[in-house]
């Protein structure tokens, strides 16, 4: 297999990684979801500043709901889970997200704090953590996990997410060491997600 078509995960070509990352917006726009583009712009540009303005850091109830909507629009829409997330009290969301922030960079405790909320699993928790601490916690996406050889079958558990996050942190550190620009685990995740359609193995 030539270097140009080899899985992106194994590539050390800076141009390929930057091109994949640059293709993220187009990949978002190609998803047949009515509000994903709007949600994604908010998630990547507005939400980080909102969270960073608070000490200690936390999210509000409506922000947690919108994070969940972003996560579902980018992947699989599960209406019952969204109902559960909306049923959390504002105080519970603030308390859980503040607790998560205070336990960063522990590999599992911030996730555990967030999944105590109704309707929040490891993937939704990771969506918030990826904003709070992008150098530590990438968003948990099954299409991305499928491209990481050592992870095996995806399991929606805190333990699997911890292994996933370690793998992406290690890969981002390797790429940062050889590229002119530092790559965070979140950047690695988005680059892999943007190329997910071509990365999926074909069946005979």
């Amino acid at each position: 297999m030539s270097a140009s078509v080899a899985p992106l995960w194994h590539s050390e070509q800076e141009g390929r990684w930057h091109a994949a990352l640059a293709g993220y917006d187009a990949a978002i726009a190609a998803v047949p979801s009515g509000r994903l583009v709007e949600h994604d712009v908010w998630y990547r540009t507005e939400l980080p500043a909102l969270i960073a303005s608070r000490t200690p850091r936390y999210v509000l109830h409506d922000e947690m709901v919108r994070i969940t909507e972003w996560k579902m629009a980018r992947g699989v829409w599960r209406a019952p889970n969204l109902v559960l997330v909306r049923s959390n009290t504002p105080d519970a969301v603030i308390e859980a997200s503040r607790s998560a922030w205070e336990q960063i960079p522990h590999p599992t405790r911030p996730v555990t704090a967030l999944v105590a909320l109704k309707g929040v699993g490891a993937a939704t928790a990771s969506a918030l953590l990826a904003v709070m601490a992008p150098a530590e916690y990438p968003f948990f996406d099954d299409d991305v996990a499928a491209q990481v050889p050592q992870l095996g079958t995806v399991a929606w558990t805190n333990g699997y997410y911890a292994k996933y996050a370690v793998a992406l942190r290690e890969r981002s550190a390797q790429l940062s060491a050889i590229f002119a620009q530092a790559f965070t685990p979140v950047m690695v995740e988005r680059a892999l997600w943007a190329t997910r359609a071509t990365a999926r193995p074909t069946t005979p």
Side-chain angles (χ1 to χ4, degrees):
M1 183 179 292
S2 69
S4 62
V5 296
L8 180 62
W9 176 261
H10 296 293
S11 176
E12 294 188 346
Q13 296 179 12
E14 187 170 6
R16 281 194 69 195
W17 281 96
H18 281 296
L21 195 58
Y24 179 83
D25 285 341
I28 286 289
V31 174
S33 176
R35 295 187 63 195
L36 179 56
V37 172
E38 177 188 348
H39 282 324
D40 193 73
V41 170
W42 171 83
Y43 175 78
R44 288 191 290 151
T45 63
E46 297 180 34
L47 182 61
L50 290 170
I51 294 175
S53 70
R54 301 164 185 154
T55 304
R57 298 183 184 182
Y58 60 88
V59 291
L60 302 176
H61 180 273
D62 62 330
E63 294 166 347
M64 194 71 222
V65 170
R66 193 165 183 185
I67 289 168
T68 306
E69 290 174 340
W70 169 84
K71 174 254 183 185
M72 291 183 179
R74 218 191 78 162
V76 178
W77 192 269
R78 293 184 172 90
N81 277 25
L82 185 57
V83 171
L84 288 172
V85 172
R86 286 176 173 153
S87 73
N88 290 296
T89 66
D91 285 347
V93 172
I94 290 173
E95 181 180 351
S97 57
R98 182 178 289 162
S99 176
W101 166 255
E102 290 170 347
Q103 297 182 80
I104 291 170
H106 193 276
T108 58
R109 287 176 187 164
V111 179
T112 300
L114 291 168
V115 300
L117 293 169
K118 289 178 284 187
V120 174
T124 305
S126 75
L128 172 54
L129 293 173
V131 176
M132 284 183 157
E136 296 291 334
Y137 305 101
F139 174 57
F140 185 9
D141 185 277
D142 55 345
D143 282 334
V144 173
Q147 298 179 59
V148 183
Q150 65 265 39
L151 292 180
T153 304
V154 176
W156 298 105
T157 64
N158 294 13
Y160 185 95
Y161 173 69
K163 294 192 298 181
Y164 169 96
V166 166
L168 269 63
R169 278 199 299 272
E170 290 178 347
R171 192 66 182 123
S172 69
Q174 293 164 355
L175 297 175
S176 296
I178 59 176
F179 292 173
Q181 175 186 349
F183 252 66
T184 67
V186 165
M187 293 167 71
V188 170
E189 180 272 317
R190 289 177 184 161
L192 291 170
W193 185 81
T195 60
R196 69 201 184 287
T198 57
R200 293 172 183 152
T202 56
T203 55

